[in-house]
Amino acid sequence: MKHFLIYFLVFVVFFSCSTLGLSHKESETNSLSGIDTIDTLLTDKISIRAITLANNKVWYTADQSRFGCVDLVSLEKKEIEIGSDKKTEFRSIAQTKNFIFVLSVANPALLFRISKEDLSYELVYQERHEKVFYDSMQFWNDKEGIAIGDPIGSSFSMIVTKDSGKTWQKIAVGLLPKLEEGEAFFAASNTTITAKKAKTWVVSGGKQSRVFFSNTKGKKWEVFTTPIVQGKSMTGIFTADFYDHKIGFISGGNYENLEQNYDNKALTLDGGKTWNLVAQNLGFGYASCVQFIPKSKGNGLLSVGASGIFYSGDRGNTWKQFSLDKSLYTIRMVNDSIAIAAGKNKIIVIHFKKNQI
């Protein structure tokens, strides 16, 4: 009986780790223990929801038609005001080898291509409609890119480029999956879209909260349901990230109840086909942005939002609060221990402490 009990306990531990898609060895790899230091790159009266990293710079776009970059080595700052006399808000940003692209929300939709070399820019796409509202933009490679927006007709708005962003074409609604009544997208942190090689995931919210998946760069789509809170206009998935083509994480919650920390986090291990809720009544409430940590084998996650900065080393099953800062909207990893975060009135560099194994 004693030997049977030992074997049974070993089986339970092994089964639990397998269910989470996590081995004990993996759970100890490259884990973080807290925040070491925080350096401020930019402070101003500004709202930043979209950043990207390239050429040792953090590139950002914001409200009041503002766009700029900060050199992570020299700390030199450059900023310009883009567009016409009418102030607009940019919440989407993407890049190719030589250019940065920014896309505004609301009417009219304005998409600019900006030179990384001298910040000169040109308008490469515009769209006018009372319902136009673009939420996120990404590139699959140096030639092909995609942007997604809220529905005007029966499906979402989608524009694509095949010539490095010189021109953009809108895809006919009839070629896209139908949205449910009251289903749309959120422009919280430019993480509505995740693009990896030819694979694309787009996440929705509102009356329905689903995942739209394409392995053909948006030519054909599959639609998967999720258990994330939904049913109201401000509920659903606000952010998503995929570590690889299998391991993904979605989060968000209820923007009208920022402390609600259940039905707001889910993990997939099969590329988005099925999702399992994690950390019910644990960790953070509403999340604006979630990102996987590089070299963590898909175990490490960071989240920013209304509850502060949270970290998970076990694919979102448990969370540790690293900071009470509720003013951050978006975060991107420089490497496995340094991140850039931005939000209300600032951009910061976060240096994390790593556990010594």
Side-chain angles (χ1 to χ4, degrees):
M1 179 63 70
K2 181 177 180 181
H3 288 92
F4 174 79
L5 181 60
I6 293 173
Y7 292 146
F8 177 76
L9 291 174
V10 170
F11 171 78
V12 169
V13 172
F14 176 79
F15 179 79
S16 298
C17 290
S18 298
T19 301
L20 300 175
L22 177 71
S23 73
H24 179 68
K25 183 178 180 180
E26 287 174 344
S27 68
E28 295 179 347
T29 303
N30 292 327
S31 59
L32 306 181
S33 61
I35 293 176
D36 188 8
T37 60
I38 295 178
D39 300 320
T40 301
L41 292 177
L42 175 72
T43 55
D44 202 347
K45 186 177 181 181
I46 193 170
S47 177
I48 302 173
R49 291 185 177 271
I51 60 174
T52 190
L53 308 177
N55 307 101
N56 289 321
K57 295 180 177 67
V58 52
W59 305 82
Y60 65 90
T61 193
D63 60 344
Q64 300 297 308
S65 302
R66 295 167 70 177
F67 167 81
C69 63
V70 182
D71 191 296
L72 297 176
V73 179
S74 69
L75 301 183
E76 179 185 6
K77 303 177 181 65
K78 294 181 180 179
E79 185 175 286
I80 59 175
E81 189 174 303
I82 300 177
S84 62
D85 295 335
K86 182 182 178 180
K87 301 293 185 182
T88 190
E89 182 173 7
F90 296 98
R91 293 195 181 188
S92 299
I93 194 168
Q95 64 169 303
T96 58
K97 181 179 179 181
N98 297 314
F99 296 96
I100 300 289
F101 296 82
V102 298
L103 176 58
S104 66
V105 296
N107 186 26
L110 303 173
L111 201 167
F112 291 91
R113 186 174 78 154
I114 307 163
S115 168
K116 289 181 178 178
E117 184 177 356
D118 60 9
L119 302 192
S120 61
Y121 64 87
E122 62 177 323
L123 180 66
V124 292
Y125 180 82
Q126 61 179 315
E127 182 178 340
R128 296 181 182 273
H129 193 283
E130 61 181 359
K131 293 184 178 180
V132 69
F133 195 103
Y134 280 92
D135 301 272
S136 189
M137 177 172 51
Q138 298 291 338
F139 271 77
W140 292 291
N141 51 54
D142 210 50
K143 294 287 186 181
E144 300 168 290
I146 179 177
I148 293 290
D150 289 349
I152 292 177
S154 61
S155 188
F156 50 81
S157 298
M158 174 177 161
I159 58 174
V160 296
T161 181
K162 297 181 180 180
D163 57 7
S164 298
K166 295 177 183 177
T167 61
W168 294 76
Q169 295 77 41
K170 186 161 187 177
I171 304 301
V173 169
L175 300 176
L176 299 171
K178 185 178 180 180
L179 292 185
E180 300 294 334
E181 185 69 27
E183 183 179 17
F185 305 100
F186 294 114
S189 58
N190 196 39
T191 51
T192 295
I193 305 171
T194 304
K196 289 185 178 296
K197 295 184 178 180
K199 298 182 184 296
T200 313
W201 297 265
V202 179
V203 295
S204 70
K207 295 298 180 68
Q208 292 282 322
S209 190
R210 301 187 290 174
V211 173
F212 299 82
F213 170 72
S214 173
N215 60 8
T216 58
K217 297 177 183 174
K219 296 179 179 67
K220 296 181 179 180
W221 294 89
E222 296 178 78
V223 187
F224 305 122
T225 59
T226 79
I228 294 290
V229 58
Q230 52 201 277
K232 297 181 180 180
S233 60
M234 298 305 292
T235 59
I237 308 169
F238 284 73
T239 176
D241 193 25
F242 275 76
Y243 185 79
D244 54 26
H245 69 287
K246 291 290 187 181
I247 305 170
F249 200 85
I250 52 177
S251 191
N254 186 347
Y255 194 74
E256 295 176 328
N257 182 7
L258 299 177
E259 302 304 316
Q260 180 179 325
N261 64 350
Y262 59 89
D263 298 347
N264 68 323
K265 321 170 196 72
L267 174 74
T268 183
L269 298 176
D270 59 11
K273 295 178 181 179
T274 60
W275 296 87
N276 293 307
L277 290 170
V278 295
Q280 289 285 72
N281 299 294
L282 299 173
F284 54 86
Y286 162 76
S288 177
C289 186
V290 64
Q291 293 284 283
F292 278 99
I293 297 173
K295 300 179 181 180
S296 69
K297 298 184 179 179
N299 299 319
L301 286 158
L302 284 167
S303 170
V304 298
S307 303
I309 303 174
F310 275 76
Y311 163 76
S312 173
D314 58 7
R315 294 186 179 169
N317 288 279
T318 61
W319 293 85
K320 181 179 180 181
Q321 188 172 38
F322 278 179
S323 170
L324 294 171
D325 190 345
K326 302 178 180 181
S327 66
L328 299 171
Y329 303 143
T330 191
I331 188 168
R332 295 294 184 276
M333 302 304 300
V334 177
N335 54 40
D336 60 353
S337 62
I338 300 175
I340 306 293
K344 184 178 180 181
N345 301 333
K346 65 185 177 184
I347 302 175
I348 60 175
V349 183
I350 307 171
H351 300 263
F352 295 97
K353 298 176 183 177
K354 295 183 69 173
N355 283 319
Q356 301 298 319
I357 303 301

